[in-house]
Amino acid sequence: MTDQSKAVPRHVAIVMDGNGRWAKKRFLPRFFGHKQGVDALVRIVQACIDRNIEHLTVFAFSSENWKRPSDEVSGLMGLVLAAVSRYLARMGAMGVRIRIVGDRDAVSDKLRNAWNEAESSTLHNSKLTLNVAFNYGGRWDIVQAARAALVAGVKPEELTEAKLSEFMAMSYAPDPDLFIRTGGEVRISNFLLWQSAYSEFVFSDCLWPDFGEAQLDAAIAAFRERDRRFGGVKTDTALEA
Ligand code: FPP
């Protein structure tokens, strides 16, 4: 049996929830929570590198987040643009490869260009891949994969789980081992529906701007306690005897 006690998740996915409440508790506009959220993300990227995690996927803007008040939506877009110009060089120096997952059609040309630059300038980095889910939804991903398979001429009898996986937005990455949601809510909210079929879930009450190395280590420790069977049975000879 493999020793899970030292196992490091290869791929960690995070729903960074609680920015608005973090700000509200301090009588600040919600935007300040998102701003602190960017700093928390930079800390966690470094922490993942230090722990030899290969992929970090974060839910930065969901397909449903367009429903928020327009000033919050434009504030988030502006914040992301500012974050790219402020942190891109640093991410590059840290060896981070940035990849964007989501529907780029609906974002502004300015943001699309910033994403393209973030991806192309970090293309050759390999310490950690930071997958930024932006204008992303798990259902969107399944539908776009199905459409792409049809366009590629895949026949109904050829459409297996493995085949459809080839068309999913993150087909280049292993499925997430550890799925963390901060902010106290216990739901997936349309994040990585396909890819999280066998992820271990950790729900933390910590609001995202307060999430740091200690909370990440607590989540990894919880992950190590889990008995991952992927739908199979435990092949422990002591139990079989
Ligand atoms: C959820 O908190 C958080 C978001 C919708 C935005 C998360 C985005 C970032 C941290 C910025 C990412 C930036 C880059 C460059 C990738 P909430 O607003 O739903 O909080 P609440 O539940 O307390 O209201």
Side-chain angles (χ1 to χ4, degrees), residues 155-168:
K155 298 195 184 75
E157 62 275 18
E158 293 168 350
L159 193 64
T160 59
E161 290 181 13
K163 181 49 83 182
L164 192 61
S165 291
E166 290 174 19
F167 294 92
M168 302 298 294

Side-chain angles (χ1 to χ4, degrees), residues 3 16 30 47 59 87 91 105 123 130 155 161 165 169 179 181 188 196 205 209 216 229:
D3 178 13
M16 309 180 288
R30 291 173 59 81
F59 210 2
Y87 290 112
M91 291 281 160
D105 289 348
L123 184 68
L130 172 63
K155 298 195 184 75
E161 290 181 13
S165 291
F179 183 122
R181 181 180 184 132
I188 300 180
S196 64
D205 287 335
L216 178 66
R229 292 192 299 278

Side-chain angles (χ1 to χ4, degrees), residues 16-22 30 33-34 36-38 41 58-62 65 68 72 76 79-81 83-84 115 130 132 134 183 185 207-208:
M16 309 180 288
D17 197 15
N19 294 343
R21 279 165 285 159
W22 185 94
R30 291 173 59 81
H34 296 312
Q36 291 295 318
V38 174
L41 175 57
V58 292
F59 210 2
F61 192 85
S62 80
N65 284 154
R68 295 189 173 207
E72 183 167 346
L76 268 167
L79 184 67
V80 168
L81 272 172
V84 172
W115 284 148
L130 172 63
V132 179
F134 200 91
E185 308 286 359
L207 302 176
W208 175 248

Side-chain angles (χ1 to χ4, degrees), residues 177-194:
D177 305 289
L178 171 59
F179 183 122
I180 300 170
R181 181 180 184 132
T182 65
E185 308 286 359
V186 185
R187 55 176 171 259
I188 300 180
S189 296
N190 198 18
F191 191 39
L192 303 177
L193 292 181
W194 177 270

